[in-house]
């Protein structure tokens, strides 16, 4: 990934919504025997990693992330000898010993050839251990189509070759995990989130703020401040049309469909 595109504070604005797929993934992990090590690749701001103690209180839990900004935020959750965070690229990650639980939540989509990486990642799982990951499956959603549309209009100002997330169909992941000799368990879920939104069109709406924490980041980071604001305003206008405002429970909200693909491989 070129430079550090991440901003932990923006990412955490929708902490509960982002956490939900992580929790739904972890709940399905069922390693056999004692769990001594848990590694969370692409751990981000570490809030999710820290929750793994509830599942495996006696394990050494390590979060790894390539973003200095995210690791700095994550270190607030560190407990020496118990929960640790390391700066590192998961593509070069080689643990000293095999791990019992290996996780990669909402990260592999940022690595274009991540299918090729799966054999080396699964090889790090101890016998009886599990590898679980979750990726978005919403790249054809209006939020992402709008982003592609504005990027096309801005082609002369948005540098080419920016990081663009992408994922595969569930069956593709299932095949890869089986090929790697793991027992696969793959599924998908579409959440419908209520995202609070300001009716004032001069203020970026909730869906824009949500996407600003992830898929919009490479563009916003690549432009100067004024251009980034103009880009976001154009994006916001499309998103406000695609995601109309509703009054629900006394709040002005947008309904954001959030499709996620989950994959678990169990090692015999
Ligand atoms: C959408 S965030 C997910 C954070 C966290 N896993 C969660 O569930 O909230 C994606 C994270 O992946 C990290 N990341 C992207 N590419 C990476 C790589 N090659 N190696 C390690 N981390 C990476 C980013 O720095 C970012 O913190």
């Amino acid at each position: 990934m070129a430079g550090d595109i991440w901003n932990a504070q923006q990412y955490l604005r929708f902490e509960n919504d982002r956490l939900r797929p992580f929790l739904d993934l972890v709940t399905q992990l069922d390693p056999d025997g004692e769990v001594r090590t848990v590694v969370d690749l692409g751990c981000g701001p570490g809030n999710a990693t820290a929750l793994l103690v509830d599942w495996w209180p006696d394990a050494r839990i390590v979060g790894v992330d390539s973003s200095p900004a995210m690791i700095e935020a994550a270190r607030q959750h560190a407990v020496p000898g118990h929960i640790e965070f390391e700066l590192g690229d998961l593509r070069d990650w080689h643990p000293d010993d095999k791990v019992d639980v290996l996780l990669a939540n909402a990260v592999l989509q940022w690595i274009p050839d991540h299918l090729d990486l799966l054999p080396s990642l699964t090889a790090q799982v101890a016998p009886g251990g599990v590898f679980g990951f979750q990726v978005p499956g919403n790249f054809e959603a209006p939020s992402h189509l709008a982003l592609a549309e504005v990027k096309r209009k801005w082609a002369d100002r948005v540098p080419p070759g920016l990081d663009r997330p992408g994922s595969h169909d569930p069956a593709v992941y299932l095949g890869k995990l089986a090929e790697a000799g793991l027992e696969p368990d793959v599924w998908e879920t579409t959440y419908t989130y209520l995202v609070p939104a300001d009716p004032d069109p001069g203020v970026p709406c909730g869906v824009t703020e949500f996407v600003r924490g992830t898929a919009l980041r490479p563009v916003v980071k690549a432009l100067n401040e004024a251009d980034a604001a103009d880009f976001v305003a154009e994006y916001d206008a499309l998103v406000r049309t695609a995601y109309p405002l509703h009054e629900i429970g006394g709040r002005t909200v947008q309904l954001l469909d959030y499709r996620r693909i989950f994959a678990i491989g169990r090692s015999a």
Side-chain angles (χ1 to χ4, degrees):
M1 203 176 267
D4 188 359
I5 61 162
W6 294 94
N7 177 312
Q9 216 182 345
Q10 180 73 25
Y11 184 71
L12 287 169
R13 279 187 65 170
F14 299 91
E15 183 174 352
N16 289 343
D17 292 338
R18 297 208 194 277
L19 207 50
R20 175 69 188 273
F22 177 89
L23 299 176
D24 288 349
L25 175 66
V26 176
T27 302
Q28 298 304 321
L29 300 176
D30 53 355
D32 259 354
E34 190 192 352
V35 172
R36 285 151 303 164
T37 32
V38 177
V39 175
D40 184 12
L41 297 174
C43 63
N47 57 312
T49 317
L51 298 178
L52 295 170
V53 173
D54 292 345
W55 276 269
W56 300 289
D58 300 323
R60 177 171 176 257
I61 296 168
V62 181
V64 177
D65 202 286
S66 57
S67 157
M70 286 298 206
I71 285 295
E72 191 188 332
R75 288 201 165 124
Q76 295 165 25
H77 299 282
V79 178
H82 189 20
I83 308 177
E84 290 159 14
F85 294 95
E86 295 171 3
L87 184 64
D89 192 312
L90 72 86
R91 290 169 293 190
D92 310 323
W93 172 76
H94 300 291
D96 295 336
D97 296 308
K98 295 201 176 206
V99 304
D100 303 303
V101 175
L102 182 59
L103 269 170
N105 188 64
V107 52
L108 294 179
Q109 74 274 11
W110 290 102
I111 301 173
D113 50 0
H114 63 262
L115 286 182
D116 298 340
L117 209 58
L118 293 184
S120 62
L121 292 178
T122 55
Q124 310 303 339
V125 179
V130 288
F131 172 43
F133 62 91
Q134 180 267 120
V135 287
N138 60 343
F139 295 108
E140 298 303 317
S143 54
H144 283 72
L145 297 180
L147 179 55
E149 187 177 333
V150 184
K151 268 167 111 176
R152 271 196 302 277
K153 278 203 211 151
W154 278 62
D156 57 336
R157 277 164 292 170
V158 172
L162 286 183
D163 293 318
R164 197 160 53 86
S167 65
H168 301 274
D169 284 337
V172 175
Y173 293 120
L174 189 144
K176 284 285 170 191
L177 290 172
E179 253 173 49
L182 301 184
E183 175 71 34
D185 176 3
V186 177
W187 73 99
E188 65 175 77
T189 300
T190 300
Y191 304 92
T192 301
Y193 287 151
L194 294 183
V195 179
D198 196 317
D200 177 355
V203 177
C205 68
V207 172
T208 297
E209 291 297 357
F210 199 103
V211 179
R212 196 149 48 168
T214 52
L216 258 171
R217 293 227 55 80
V219 185
V220 164
K221 194 76 190 187
L223 296 172
N224 66 42
E225 210 175 314
D227 281 350
D230 289 347
F231 186 99
V232 170
E234 274 188 43
Y235 174 73
D236 188 63
L238 294 183
V239 163
R240 279 185 178 271
T241 306
Y243 298 88
L245 303 184
H246 299 269
E247 294 297 324
I248 297 179
R251 290 189 303 163
T252 306
V253 295
Q254 292 166 299
L255 303 188
L256 177 64
D257 281 346
Y258 193 67
R259 177 177 176 244
R260 303 278 118 174
I261 297 161
F262 299 80
I264 294 175
R266 299 185 170 91
S267 164

